[in-house]
């Protein structure tokens, strides 16, 4: 029978051998997390459902609520378009010119009202066009995209 070799205190231990009795064990590496219990799984499911449910409700409400969201944006856009129409006279519209000596702005008014100053005549397209002598007043518009024109008016 063979005798095991003597153990010396200053020799390093092999990683798979048990340390001698009385010596502390080396700390273990990170351990696997314990499987989640039913309560923890329930809480996680409730939080996930709340987050996705809240997001879905917000999107649905934004698109369907008549007092906000998409409807409010559309109403504001339509109101702006209607507001701009009163400053873009067509041939035959009566206008009152605001600030005729500075930056004139024709505002469409009823032809029978005392505010009516001019009746819209021609719209001459192109930069620097002058109204013919048959018109009493003209406003030149110059846009950065090349849509230059002149509106010609006769007195009412």
């Amino acid at each position: 029978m063979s005798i095991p070799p003597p153990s010396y205190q200053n020799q390093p231990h092999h990683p798979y051998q048990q340390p001698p009795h009385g010596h502390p064990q080396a700390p273990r590496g990170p351990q696997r997390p314990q499987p989640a219990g039913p309560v923890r799984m329930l809480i996680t499911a409730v939080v996930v459902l709340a987050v996705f449910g809240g997001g879905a409700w917000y999107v649905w409400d934004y698109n369907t609520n008549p007092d906000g969201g998409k409807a409010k944006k559309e109403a504001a856009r339509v109101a702006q378009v209607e507001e701009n129409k009163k400053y873009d006279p067509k041939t035959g519209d009566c206008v009152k010119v605001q600030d005729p000596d500075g930056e004139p702005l024709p505002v469409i008014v009823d032809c029978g009202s005392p505010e009516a100053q001019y009746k819209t005549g021609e719209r001459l397209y192109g930069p620097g066009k002058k109204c013919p002598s048959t018109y009493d007043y003209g406003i030149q518009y110059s846009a950065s995209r090349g849509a230059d024109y002149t509106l010609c008016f006769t007195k009412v």
Side-chain angles (χ1 to χ4, degrees), residues 124-139:
L124 307 173
Y125 290 98
K129 297 275 182 155
K130 300 279 185 202
C131 293
S133 60
T134 55
Y135 293 102
D136 300 312
Y137 187 69
I139 301 175

Side-chain angles (χ1 to χ4, degrees), residues 26-142:
R28 295 183 183 174
Q31 295 183 359
R32 286 177 52 180
Q34 297 297 321
V39 173
R40 184 179 220 179
M41 288 175 34
L42 179 66
I43 290 173
T44 302
V46 167
V47 169
V48 168
L49 286 174
V51 168
F52 283 108
W57 177 83
Y58 175 78
V59 170
W60 177 78
D61 186 58
Y62 180 83
N63 289 318
T64 59
N65 187 346
D67 295 326
K70 201 174 197 178
K72 199 173 203 178
K73 277 185 173 179
E74 181 63 18
R77 188 190 67 76
V78 168
Q80 185 64 44
V81 167
E82 289 300 316
E83 177 72 18
N84 290 344
K85 281 184 183 178
K86 75 178 190 179
Y87 298 112
D88 187 24
K90 306 294 182 226
T91 301
D93 287 342
C94 292
V95 298
K96 168 182 78 169
V97 178
Q98 295 177 347
D99 194 17
D101 297 326
E103 292 186 28
L105 179 66
V107 179
I108 299 173
V109 294
D110 184 30
C111 288
S113 81
E115 291 182 311
Q117 297 172 322
Y118 299 99
K119 190 167 193 163
T120 308
E122 288 185 67
R123 185 181 292 231
L124 307 173
Y125 290 98
K129 297 275 182 155
K130 300 279 185 202
C131 293
S133 60
T134 55
Y135 293 102
D136 300 312
Y137 187 69
I139 301 175
Q140 290 186 352
Y141 290 96
S142 180

